[in-house]
Amino acid sequence: MRVHKLTFAALAVVASLSLTACNEEDLTGQGSPSAGSTVSPSAGGSDQGGEQDSAGKSSGGQGPVAGNGSDGNGEIGKCRTDDLDITAADGTIGGDTEGTVAVELKNGGGRDCVLSAYAGVDLETSSGTLSAERTGQQADTSVLKDGESTFFGVTYPINESGGSGVRVTALVVTPPDETKSFSLEWPGSATLPVSDGSGSPVKVGPIGSAGQGGES
C-alpha cells in the first residue's frame, strides 16, 4: 500500500510541473508580438508624414516661384540697348518756332522691361559733338511691354540765319541707365544755327514725353 501512495504522489508532482510550464508558455506567448503584427518603421507615421510634407509643398506651391519679368524673382529688368529698336522721325509741325525729332524706342527683346527718366542724346555735327540738355520735365518709370513702343522728343532751333550754320551728321541715343549707344541718321533740319556758347540749344524730353507725331 505504501508503494501505491508514493507513485500517486510522484504523478501529482509531475502533473503540477507540467501545468506550470504550460501556463508560463501561454503567458510568454501573449506578451510578445507575432511576426505578422510587427510594425515596420518604413510603414509608420514618420515616413508617411514625410511624403505628405513633400506632396504638400508641391501642391501648395511653396518655394520660389518665377515671375514674368527678366529674372527669377519676379522683378522686371531694365531695357537694354540691344533689346530696343531705335528709330527717329521729323515731328516738326508747320509754324513751330523750334524743330522737333520724335525718337521711338520699340521693345524687341522678347520680354517686358523698364524704362525711366531721360535717354542720353548727342548730335554729331561738323563742329563736333553737341549734347542735348534735359528739359527738366518730370520723368516717370514705366514698363515697356514686349513689342510695344514709347517716344521722347528732341527739340532744336531752326536755322533762319541765312548762313550755312552747323551741319548735323548723326543722332546718337543712349537708353536710360545704359552705356551702349545707338547711332542713326538725323531726320531733322540739315543745319543748326551757330551757337553763342551759352549752353546747348538742343533739348531732350523724358521717356514718354512725345507721341509719334512729335511733342505731346
Side-chain angles (χ1 to χ4, degrees):
M1 181 63 90
R2 180 179 177 81
V3 173
H4 288 291
K5 287 181 178 180
L6 291 175
T7 301
F8 288 140
L11 288 174
V13 170
V14 170
S16 176
L17 292 174
S18 175
L19 179 61
T20 300
C22 288
N23 289 337
E24 290 178 352
E25 182 178 356
D26 290 342
L27 291 173
T28 303
Q30 291 175 0
S32 60
S34 66
S37 63
T38 301
V39 178
S40 170
S42 63
S46 61
D47 281 2
Q48 289 179 357
E51 292 174 1
Q52 290 171 359
D53 289 343
S54 175
K57 289 180 181 180
S58 176
S59 61
Q62 298 180 10
V65 179
N68 296 326
S70 60
D71 49 38
N73 60 7
E75 296 182 357
I76 301 178
K78 66 181 181 181
C79 298
R80 313 294 300 196
T81 302
D82 291 338
D83 296 335
L84 299 171
D85 182 16
I86 305 176
T87 57
D90 185 11
T92 305
I93 300 175
D96 287 351
T97 57
E98 290 184 313
T100 300
V101 166
V103 179
E104 177 184 3
L105 305 176
K106 183 175 181 179
N107 182 6
R111 61 178 179 84
D112 297 350
C113 60
V114 173
L115 278 175
S116 62
Y118 287 78
V121 171
D122 297 298
L123 300 187
E124 298 295 341
T125 75
S126 55
S127 298
T129 300
L130 180 61
S131 297
E133 293 183 354
R134 297 178 178 183
T135 61
Q137 293 172 260
Q138 181 178 351
D140 297 324
T141 299
S142 60
V143 175
L144 186 62
K145 295 186 177 298
D146 182 40
E148 293 187 352
S149 297
T150 187
F151 300 82
F152 66 88
V154 179
T155 57
Y156 61 94
I158 298 175
N159 184 16
E160 296 177 343
S161 64
S164 59
V166 178
R167 184 169 54 87
V168 182
T169 58
L171 169 65
V172 181
V173 176
T174 307
D177 300 319
E178 270 284 65
T179 57
K180 185 175 182 179
S181 302
F182 188 85
S183 181
L184 58 158
E185 184 178 350
W186 171 250
S189 297
T191 62
L192 303 177
V194 177
S195 173
D196 58 8
S198 61
S200 175
V202 182
K203 308 295 181 182
V204 55
I207 299 296
S209 64
Q212 192 171 2
E215 287 289 328
S216 59

